Amino acid sequence: MVRRCTRFTSVVVFLVGCAALVSVINVRELSVTLKTKLRVAKLSFGAASGLNNEKRTCDPRSRNERNGRNCNDKPPNVIRGLTYKSRGNVSLELCQAVPDLLVGRLIINFVAALKSPPPPALQDVSPGGTWSPKNCVATQRIAIIIPFRDRQKHLDILAYYLVPVLKRQEVAFRIFVVEQYGNKTFNKGRLMNIGFTEARKYDEFDCFIFHDVDLIPEDDRNMYTCSENPRHMSPAVDKFKYKLPYKGLVGGVLSFRSNHFTKVNGYSNLFWGWGGEDDEMYHRLTASKITLLRTPFETGRYKMIKHGRKGGTSPFRWKLLKTLKKRLKKDGLNTLEYKLVETRLEKLYTRILADVGDPANDSDRLSALLA
Ligand code: BGN
Protein backbone atom coordinates (compact mmCIF):
# COMPACT_ATOMS: atom_id res chain seq x y z
CA MET A 1 0.00 0.00 0.00
CA VAL A 2 2.79 2.37 1.08
CA ARG A 3 4.78 1.48 -2.07
CA ARG A 4 1.72 2.15 -4.27
CA CYS A 5 1.17 5.43 -2.55
CA THR A 6 4.80 6.47 -3.09
CA ARG A 7 4.60 5.50 -6.80
CA PHE A 8 1.36 7.49 -7.12
CA THR A 9 3.00 10.52 -5.46
CA SER A 10 6.05 10.36 -7.75
CA VAL A 11 3.80 10.15 -10.84
CA VAL A 12 1.86 13.18 -9.61
CA VAL A 13 5.11 15.07 -8.90
CA PHE A 14 6.40 14.12 -12.36
CA LEU A 15 3.19 15.32 -14.05
CA VAL A 16 3.14 18.59 -12.10
CA GLY A 17 6.81 19.12 -13.05
CA CYS A 18 6.02 18.53 -16.72
CA ALA A 19 3.08 20.94 -16.60
CA ALA A 20 5.24 23.59 -14.95
CA LEU A 21 7.95 23.12 -17.59
CA VAL A 22 5.45 23.40 -20.44
CA SER A 23 3.93 26.56 -19.01
CA VAL A 24 7.40 28.15 -18.54
CA ILE A 25 8.20 27.34 -22.17
CA ASN A 26 4.85 28.79 -23.22
CA VAL A 27 5.45 31.97 -21.28
CA ARG A 28 8.88 32.31 -22.88
CA GLU A 29 7.46 31.64 -26.32
CA LEU A 30 4.67 34.04 -25.67
CA SER A 31 7.09 36.74 -24.60
CA VAL A 32 9.30 36.15 -27.67
CA THR A 33 6.21 36.24 -29.91
CA LEU A 34 4.96 39.36 -28.19
CA LYS A 35 8.37 41.00 -28.47
CA THR A 36 8.53 40.09 -32.15
CA LYS A 37 5.01 41.34 -32.76
CA LEU A 38 5.76 44.56 -30.92
CA ARG A 39 8.92 45.04 -32.99
CA VAL A 40 7.07 44.40 -36.25
CA ALA A 41 4.21 46.65 -35.13
CA LYS A 42 6.70 49.38 -34.22
CA LEU A 43 8.37 49.00 -37.62
CA SER A 44 5.08 48.88 -39.46
CA PHE A 45 3.99 52.18 -38.03
CA GLY A 46 5.66 54.19 -40.77
CA ALA A 47 4.36 51.96 -43.51
CA ALA A 48 0.81 52.44 -42.33
CA SER A 49 0.80 56.22 -42.44
CA GLY A 50 1.02 58.18 -45.67
CA LEU A 51 3.23 61.02 -46.85
CA ASN A 52 2.65 62.61 -50.22
CA ASN A 53 5.14 64.30 -52.43
CA GLU A 54 7.08 66.62 -50.15
CA LYS A 55 4.09 67.02 -47.88
CA ARG A 56 4.58 66.26 -44.21
CA THR A 57 1.50 64.63 -42.88
CA CYS A 58 3.13 63.41 -39.69
CA ASP A 59 2.46 65.20 -36.49
CA PRO A 60 5.83 66.82 -35.69
CA ARG A 61 5.11 66.28 -32.02
CA SER A 62 4.67 62.56 -32.44
CA ARG A 63 7.43 60.27 -31.23
CA ASN A 64 7.92 58.90 -34.71
CA GLU A 65 8.59 62.29 -36.24
CA ARG A 66 10.83 63.32 -33.40
CA ASN A 67 12.89 60.23 -34.05
CA GLY A 68 13.55 61.38 -37.59
CA ARG A 69 11.49 58.66 -39.22
CA ASN A 70 9.51 59.51 -42.29
CA CYS A 71 5.89 58.70 -41.88
CA ASN A 72 5.79 56.49 -44.93
CA ASP A 73 9.10 54.74 -44.44
CA LYS A 74 8.32 51.13 -45.10
CA PRO A 75 10.51 49.32 -42.61
CA PRO A 76 13.06 47.17 -44.38
CA ASN A 77 12.44 44.34 -41.94
CA VAL A 78 8.90 44.13 -43.15
CA ILE A 79 9.90 44.52 -46.81
CA ARG A 80 12.13 41.53 -46.44
CA GLY A 81 9.47 39.65 -44.54
CA LEU A 82 11.87 38.39 -41.91
CA THR A 83 12.29 39.26 -38.30
CA TYR A 84 15.25 37.07 -37.56
CA LYS A 85 18.26 36.23 -39.63
CA SER A 86 21.21 34.04 -38.97
CA ARG A 87 24.83 34.98 -39.30
CA GLY A 88 26.98 31.86 -39.48
CA ASN A 89 25.35 29.55 -36.98
CA VAL A 90 24.30 32.31 -34.60
CA SER A 91 20.75 33.57 -34.94
CA LEU A 92 20.63 37.33 -34.63
CA GLU A 93 17.72 39.67 -34.45
CA LEU A 94 17.38 42.36 -37.09
CA CYS A 95 18.57 45.75 -35.87
CA GLN A 96 15.96 48.28 -34.88
CA ALA A 97 14.78 50.67 -37.61
CA VAL A 98 15.26 53.48 -35.10
CA PRO A 99 17.97 52.30 -32.69
CA ASP A 100 17.98 53.27 -29.03
CA LEU A 101 21.59 54.44 -29.38
CA LEU A 102 20.63 57.66 -31.19
CA VAL A 103 21.46 60.89 -29.42
CA GLY A 104 19.63 63.47 -31.58
CA ARG A 105 21.26 66.86 -32.21
CA LEU A 106 25.04 66.88 -32.54
CA ILE A 107 27.52 69.61 -31.75
CA ILE A 108 29.73 70.12 -34.78
CA ASN A 109 33.11 71.82 -34.57
CA PHE A 110 35.21 71.65 -37.74
CA VAL A 111 38.45 72.83 -36.10
CA ALA A 112 38.12 70.38 -33.22
CA ALA A 113 37.41 67.55 -35.66
CA LEU A 114 40.66 68.23 -37.51
CA LYS A 115 42.74 68.60 -34.35
CA SER A 116 41.38 65.81 -32.17
CA PRO A 117 42.56 62.23 -32.40
CA PRO A 118 40.15 59.94 -34.28
CA PRO A 119 37.23 58.95 -32.03
CA PRO A 120 37.17 55.29 -30.92
CA ALA A 121 34.19 54.68 -33.26
CA LEU A 122 36.58 54.98 -36.20
CA GLN A 123 38.83 52.17 -34.98
CA ASP A 124 36.98 49.05 -36.05
CA VAL A 125 35.98 50.11 -39.56
CA SER A 126 37.45 47.62 -42.03
CA PRO A 127 39.79 48.80 -44.81
CA GLY A 128 37.70 50.20 -47.64
CA GLY A 129 35.32 51.83 -45.14
CA THR A 130 33.03 48.91 -44.43
CA TRP A 131 31.29 48.13 -41.19
CA SER A 132 28.24 46.25 -39.99
CA PRO A 133 26.71 45.94 -36.53
CA LYS A 134 27.90 43.04 -34.41
CA ASN A 135 24.88 42.37 -32.20
CA CYS A 136 22.12 42.47 -34.77
CA VAL A 137 21.69 42.17 -38.52
CA ALA A 138 21.44 45.56 -40.24
CA THR A 139 18.10 46.29 -41.89
CA GLN A 140 19.84 47.78 -44.94
CA ARG A 141 23.23 47.66 -46.58
CA ILE A 142 24.05 51.15 -47.73
CA ALA A 143 26.63 52.63 -50.08
CA ILE A 144 27.62 56.22 -49.39
CA ILE A 145 28.91 57.83 -52.58
CA ILE A 146 30.97 60.99 -52.21
CA PRO A 147 32.03 62.78 -55.43
CA PHE A 148 35.41 64.27 -54.72
CA ARG A 149 38.48 66.18 -55.77
CA ASP A 150 41.05 68.05 -53.78
CA ARG A 151 39.06 68.44 -50.54
CA GLN A 152 40.91 66.10 -48.18
CA LYS A 153 40.24 68.22 -45.07
CA HIS A 154 36.52 68.24 -45.79
CA LEU A 155 36.60 64.49 -46.22
CA ASP A 156 38.40 64.08 -42.89
CA ILE A 157 35.77 66.17 -41.10
CA LEU A 158 32.92 64.31 -42.79
CA ALA A 159 34.35 60.89 -41.89
CA TYR A 160 34.95 62.05 -38.30
CA TYR A 161 31.26 62.87 -37.83
CA LEU A 162 29.52 60.54 -40.26
CA VAL A 163 31.06 57.20 -39.27
CA PRO A 164 29.91 57.38 -35.61
CA VAL A 165 26.43 58.43 -36.79
CA LEU A 166 26.18 55.44 -39.14
CA LYS A 167 27.32 53.13 -36.37
CA ARG A 168 24.74 54.44 -33.92
CA GLN A 169 22.13 54.00 -36.63
CA GLU A 170 23.21 50.35 -36.91
CA VAL A 171 23.34 50.30 -40.70
CA ALA A 172 25.81 48.15 -42.63
CA PHE A 173 27.77 50.56 -44.75
CA ARG A 174 30.56 51.05 -47.21
CA ILE A 175 31.86 54.51 -48.04
CA PHE A 176 33.01 55.22 -51.59
CA VAL A 177 35.00 58.35 -52.39
CA VAL A 178 34.83 58.82 -56.13
CA GLU A 179 37.69 61.07 -57.11
CA GLN A 180 38.07 62.77 -60.46
CA TYR A 181 41.49 62.12 -61.97
CA GLY A 182 43.51 65.00 -63.49
CA ASN A 183 42.63 68.67 -63.51
CA LYS A 184 40.02 69.02 -66.23
CA THR A 185 36.68 70.63 -65.36
CA PHE A 186 34.82 68.83 -62.57
CA ASN A 187 31.92 66.60 -63.54
CA LYS A 188 29.99 65.66 -60.41
CA GLY A 189 27.12 63.91 -62.20
CA ARG A 190 29.50 61.57 -63.96
CA LEU A 191 31.34 60.83 -60.69
CA MET A 192 28.07 59.91 -58.97
CA ASN A 193 27.12 57.61 -61.85
CA ILE A 194 30.56 56.00 -61.58
CA GLY A 195 30.09 55.58 -57.82
CA PHE A 196 26.79 53.79 -58.36
CA THR A 197 28.24 51.56 -61.09
CA GLU A 198 31.42 50.68 -59.19
CA ALA A 199 29.68 50.20 -55.81
CA ARG A 200 27.48 47.49 -57.29
CA LYS A 201 30.60 45.47 -58.04
CA TYR A 202 31.31 45.23 -54.30
CA ASP A 203 27.99 44.29 -52.73
CA GLU A 204 24.26 44.04 -53.24
CA PHE A 205 23.39 47.34 -51.61
CA ASP A 206 19.81 48.14 -50.63
CA CYS A 207 20.44 51.83 -50.68
CA PHE A 208 22.69 54.41 -52.36
CA ILE A 209 23.27 57.76 -50.69
CA PHE A 210 24.91 60.51 -52.76
CA HIS A 211 26.68 62.80 -50.30
CA ASP A 212 28.41 66.14 -50.76
CA VAL A 213 31.78 66.14 -49.04
CA ASP A 214 31.15 69.52 -47.38
CA LEU A 215 27.87 68.66 -45.62
CA ILE A 216 28.11 67.44 -42.04
CA PRO A 217 25.04 65.85 -40.41
CA GLU A 218 23.81 67.67 -37.34
CA ASP A 219 21.27 65.14 -36.16
CA ASP A 220 21.64 61.37 -36.01
CA ARG A 221 17.84 60.84 -36.16
CA ASN A 222 18.11 61.51 -39.90
CA MET A 223 18.44 57.83 -40.78
CA TYR A 224 20.98 56.89 -43.44
CA THR A 225 18.66 54.29 -44.88
CA CYS A 226 16.47 54.32 -47.95
CA SER A 227 12.78 55.00 -47.81
CA GLU A 228 10.57 53.43 -50.45
CA ASN A 229 11.14 56.48 -52.66
CA PRO A 230 14.17 58.72 -53.20
CA ARG A 231 14.62 61.02 -50.22
CA HIS A 232 16.30 64.40 -50.03
CA MET A 233 18.06 64.09 -46.70
CA SER A 234 19.49 67.62 -46.45
CA PRO A 235 16.59 70.08 -46.69
CA ALA A 236 17.93 72.22 -43.80
CA VAL A 237 21.48 73.52 -44.34
CA ASP A 238 22.95 76.28 -42.15
CA LYS A 239 24.13 78.19 -45.25
CA PHE A 240 20.47 78.53 -46.30
CA LYS A 241 19.34 79.37 -42.75
CA TYR A 242 17.97 75.84 -42.40
CA LYS A 243 15.34 76.50 -45.06
CA LEU A 244 14.88 75.00 -48.49
CA PRO A 245 16.08 77.77 -50.85
CA TYR A 246 13.80 76.56 -53.66
CA LYS A 247 11.30 73.77 -54.15
CA GLY A 248 13.35 71.77 -56.65
CA LEU A 249 16.54 71.50 -54.60
CA VAL A 250 17.72 67.89 -54.27
CA GLY A 251 21.45 68.59 -54.04
CA GLY A 252 23.47 67.83 -50.91
CA VAL A 253 22.48 64.40 -49.61
CA LEU A 254 20.07 62.26 -51.60
CA SER A 255 19.15 58.62 -51.06
CA PHE A 256 17.97 56.22 -53.74
CA ARG A 257 17.03 52.60 -54.13
CA SER A 258 18.74 51.19 -57.20
CA ASN A 259 15.50 50.64 -59.17
CA HIS A 260 14.66 54.34 -58.99
CA PHE A 261 18.19 55.46 -59.79
CA THR A 262 18.18 53.20 -62.84
CA LYS A 263 14.71 54.36 -63.84
CA VAL A 264 15.82 58.02 -64.02
CA ASN A 265 18.96 56.88 -65.88
CA GLY A 266 21.14 58.26 -63.08
CA TYR A 267 22.58 61.77 -63.36
CA SER A 268 23.34 63.57 -66.61
CA ASN A 269 26.95 63.15 -67.76
CA LEU A 270 26.96 66.53 -69.49
CA PHE A 271 27.06 69.06 -66.63
CA TRP A 272 30.68 70.19 -66.56
CA GLY A 273 31.58 72.70 -63.83
CA TRP A 274 29.61 73.75 -60.75
CA GLY A 275 25.85 73.49 -60.51
CA GLY A 276 22.84 72.17 -62.33
CA GLU A 277 23.25 68.37 -62.23
CA ASP A 278 21.15 68.22 -59.06
CA ASP A 279 18.43 70.47 -60.46
CA GLU A 280 18.26 68.19 -63.45
CA MET A 281 17.86 65.21 -61.10
CA TYR A 282 14.74 66.86 -59.68
CA HIS A 283 13.36 67.13 -63.23
CA ARG A 284 14.38 63.53 -64.00
CA LEU A 285 12.35 62.37 -61.00
CA THR A 286 9.35 64.45 -62.03
CA ALA A 287 9.56 63.30 -65.66
CA SER A 288 9.76 59.68 -64.44
CA LYS A 289 6.78 60.23 -62.12
CA ILE A 290 8.76 59.27 -59.04
CA THR A 291 7.61 60.89 -55.83
CA LEU A 292 10.37 62.66 -53.94
CA LEU A 293 10.42 62.53 -50.15
CA ARG A 294 12.28 64.79 -47.79
CA THR A 295 13.58 64.28 -44.29
CA PRO A 296 11.72 66.66 -41.95
CA PHE A 297 13.54 69.97 -41.34
CA GLU A 298 13.82 69.15 -37.66
CA THR A 299 16.27 66.30 -38.32
CA GLY A 300 17.49 66.87 -41.91
CA ARG A 301 19.97 69.45 -40.68
CA TYR A 302 23.52 69.88 -41.98
CA LYS A 303 26.42 72.28 -41.48
CA MET A 304 28.25 73.25 -44.64
CA ILE A 305 32.03 73.66 -44.60
CA LYS A 306 32.79 77.03 -46.14
CA HIS A 307 35.03 77.03 -49.19
CA GLY A 308 35.77 78.92 -52.37
CA ARG A 309 34.40 77.64 -55.66
CA LYS A 310 37.22 76.29 -57.82
CA GLY A 311 36.73 75.83 -61.55
CA GLY A 312 33.75 78.16 -61.95
CA THR A 313 30.22 77.50 -63.03
CA SER A 314 29.04 75.92 -66.24
CA PRO A 315 27.79 78.60 -68.63
CA PHE A 316 25.46 76.15 -70.39
CA ARG A 317 23.69 74.74 -67.41
CA TRP A 318 20.47 76.74 -67.77
CA LYS A 319 20.18 75.94 -71.46
CA LEU A 320 21.14 72.33 -70.93
CA LEU A 321 18.36 71.90 -68.37
CA LYS A 322 15.81 72.83 -71.01
CA THR A 323 16.87 69.90 -73.17
CA LEU A 324 16.20 67.22 -70.57
CA LYS A 325 13.31 65.55 -72.38
CA LYS A 326 15.51 64.97 -75.44
CA ARG A 327 18.30 63.53 -73.29
CA LEU A 328 16.71 61.57 -70.45
CA LYS A 329 17.01 58.20 -72.16
CA LYS A 330 20.37 58.83 -73.83
CA ASP A 331 22.38 60.78 -71.30
CA GLY A 332 23.05 59.07 -68.00
CA LEU A 333 23.91 55.66 -66.62
CA ASN A 334 23.35 53.98 -69.96
CA THR A 335 25.86 56.21 -71.78
CA LEU A 336 28.40 56.51 -68.98
CA GLU A 337 32.03 56.33 -70.09
CA TYR A 338 35.10 56.50 -67.85
CA LYS A 339 38.43 54.93 -67.18
CA LEU A 340 39.05 53.41 -63.80
CA VAL A 341 42.53 54.68 -62.88
CA GLU A 342 42.88 53.13 -59.45
CA THR A 343 40.94 51.68 -56.56
CA ARG A 344 42.40 51.96 -53.08
CA LEU A 345 41.03 50.43 -49.90
CA GLU A 346 41.76 53.17 -47.39
CA LYS A 347 41.06 53.11 -43.66
CA LEU A 348 37.63 54.77 -43.81
CA TYR A 349 36.64 54.50 -47.46
CA THR A 350 37.15 52.86 -50.81
CA ARG A 351 38.76 55.47 -53.02
CA ILE A 352 37.88 55.16 -56.68
CA LEU A 353 40.03 57.29 -58.93
CA ALA A 354 38.38 57.73 -62.31
CA ASP A 355 39.13 59.56 -65.52
CA VAL A 356 35.82 61.10 -66.56
CA GLY A 357 37.12 62.44 -69.86
CA ASP A 358 37.34 65.90 -71.29
CA PRO A 359 34.54 68.45 -71.74
CA ALA A 360 35.97 69.18 -75.18
CA ASN A 361 34.87 65.69 -76.26
CA ASP A 362 31.29 66.59 -75.46
CA SER A 363 31.35 69.91 -77.27
CA ASP A 364 29.77 68.65 -80.52
CA ARG A 365 27.00 66.91 -78.59
CA LEU A 366 26.46 69.99 -76.47
CA SER A 367 26.33 72.41 -79.39
CA ALA A 368 23.84 70.15 -81.19
CA LEU A 369 21.67 70.14 -78.06
CA LEU A 370 21.98 73.84 -77.39
CA ALA A 371 21.54 75.04 -80.99
C1 BGN B 1 21.69 76.31 -57.46
C2 BGN B 1 22.44 75.34 -58.35
C3 BGN B 1 22.45 73.97 -57.75
C4 BGN B 1 22.98 74.04 -56.34
C5 BGN B 1 22.15 75.02 -55.54
C6 BGN B 1 22.58 75.15 -54.11
C7 BGN B 1 22.20 75.97 -60.69
C8 BGN B 1 21.19 76.09 -61.80
C9 BGN B 1 21.60 75.43 -63.03
C10 BGN B 1 20.59 75.48 -64.08
N1 BGN B 1 21.74 75.34 -59.64
O1 BGN B 1 21.78 77.61 -57.97
O2 BGN B 1 23.22 73.12 -58.54
O3 BGN B 1 22.94 72.80 -55.71
O4 BGN B 1 22.24 76.29 -56.15
O5 BGN B 1 23.90 75.61 -54.00
O6 BGN B 1 23.31 76.48 -60.76
Side-chain angles (χ1 to χ4, degrees):
M1 180 65 191
V2 172
R3 194 183 285 166
R4 237 188 226 168
C5 215
T6 321
R7 194 175 292 160
F8 178 73
T9 316
S10 32
V11 167
V12 168
V13 168
F14 176 73
L15 286 176
V16 169
C18 283
L21 198 65
V22 166
S23 63
V24 164
I25 289 170
N26 276 345
V27 168
R28 278 199 64 198
E29 265 178 12
L30 184 70
S31 88
V32 168
T33 319
L34 269 178
K35 209 173 136 197
T36 307
K37 284 201 171 146
L38 275 174
R39 169 71 60 86
V40 172
K42 194 173 155 199
L43 292 169
S44 303
F45 176 71
S49 38
L51 181 81
N52 292 328
N53 191 8
E54 300 177 41
K55 282 190 196 114
R56 291 173 59 197
T57 53
C58 292
D59 179 354
R61 289 154 302 176
S62 75
R63 185 177 177 272
N64 193 47
E65 188 86 344
R66 273 189 275 118
N67 278 350
R69 290 261 306 280
N70 292 287
C71 300
N72 65 340
D73 272 8
K74 211 171 195 177
N77 313 41
V78 174
I79 291 166
R80 291 174 168 219
L82 288 171
T83 314
Y84 289 92
K85 276 199 156 187
S86 62
R87 185 191 285 147
N89 46 12
V90 190
S91 209
L92 285 177
E93 213 173 326
L94 274 179
C95 303
Q96 291 170 281
V98 182
D100 299 330
L101 299 168
L102 303 184
V103 296
R105 264 316 142 73
L106 310 170
I107 297 162
I108 308 292
N109 183 331
F110 300 149
V111 180
L114 287 173
K115 282 190 182 157
S116 359
L122 267 54
Q123 305 293 319
D124 68 337
V125 175
S126 305
T130 63
W131 183 86
S132 54
K134 306 289 168 290
N135 303 323
C136 55
V137 177
T139 59
Q140 291 191 13
R141 307 183 67 75
I142 64 161
I144 308 260
I145 294 167
I146 306 170
F148 179 88
R149 187 166 67 186
D150 210 11
R151 298 262 190 96
Q152 190 55 46
K153 278 194 177 152
H154 296 185
L155 187 54
D156 292 344
I157 300 173
L158 178 60
Y160 181 94
Y161 284 110
L162 182 60
V163 168
V165 166
L166 297 173
K167 287 174 107 181
R168 284 199 297 277
Q169 295 188 346
E170 295 184 329
V171 291
F173 65 84
R174 182 169 194 131
I175 300 177
F176 295 89
V177 171
V178 193
E179 180 171 357
Q180 181 166 331
Y181 174 76
N183 51 15
K184 299 263 161 57
T185 313
F186 196 59
N187 190 322
K188 191 171 162 190
R190 211 171 274 204
L191 290 173
M192 291 192 276
N193 286 342
I194 295 171
F196 177 77
T197 311
E198 288 297 320
R200 300 220 291 176
K201 297 179 183 168
Y202 288 80
D203 205 339
E204 233 182 83
F205 292 105
D206 302 295
C207 177
F208 296 83
I209 301 180
F210 299 93
H211 207 303
D212 280 2
V213 69
D214 54 3
L215 284 185
I216 311 301
E218 276 188 74
D219 198 307
D220 67 2
R221 293 168 298 172
N222 185 10
M223 289 298 292
Y224 276 73
T225 48
C226 270
S227 306
E228 274 298 273
N229 273 31
R231 178 160 53 95
H232 184 226
M233 296 174 59
S234 56
V237 176
D238 65 342
K239 182 180 170 188
F240 303 123
K241 302 195 166 53
Y242 297 106
K243 290 188 187 117
L244 201 61
Y246 56 97
K247 182 176 164 262
L249 181 75
V250 295
V253 186
L254 181 62
S255 71
F256 264 104
R257 288 188 184 268
S258 62
N259 58 330
H260 287 134
F261 195 67
T262 316
K263 189 168 178 198
V264 297
N265 200 12
Y267 283 90
S268 164
N269 297 310
L270 296 178
F271 283 79
W272 294 92
W274 184 90
E277 80 296 324
D278 52 345
D279 295 327
E280 169 149 322
M281 177 50 81
Y282 179 77
H283 295 301
R284 284 181 177 234
L285 288 166
T286 315
S288 313
K289 299 195 169 34
I290 298 173
T291 304
L292 170 75
L293 308 174
R294 286 191 206 275
T295 299
F297 287 87
E298 163 84 358
T299 52
R301 289 169 68 95
Y302 285 79
K303 264 201 164 47
M304 189 184 274
I305 308 174
K306 288 193 184 71
H307 54 84
R309 203 180 284 164
K310 259 194 203 167
T313 53
S314 153
F316 308 121
R317 62 200 205 288
W318 294 102
K319 277 189 166 178
L320 197 54
L321 259 185
K322 292 191 181 142
T323 66
L324 165 68
K325 287 218 167 108
K326 277 197 225 168
R327 286 181 292 108
L328 185 61
K329 296 233 158 62
K330 28 184 194 161
D331 166 24
L333 275 179
N334 65 353
T335 52
L336 176 66
E337 283 176 21
Y338 62 98
K339 277 191 210 110
L340 193 60
V341 178
E342 193 189 351
T343 301
R344 254 181 284 151
L345 301 190
E346 299 193 11
K347 189 168 162 25
L348 296 174
Y349 33 80
T350 298
R351 192 187 287 261
I352 290 166
L353 189 60
D355 185 344
V356 301
D358 189 333
N361 297 342
D362 282 342
S363 63
D364 290 348
R365 246 182 118 188
L366 279 171
S367 15
L369 278 166
L370 304 176

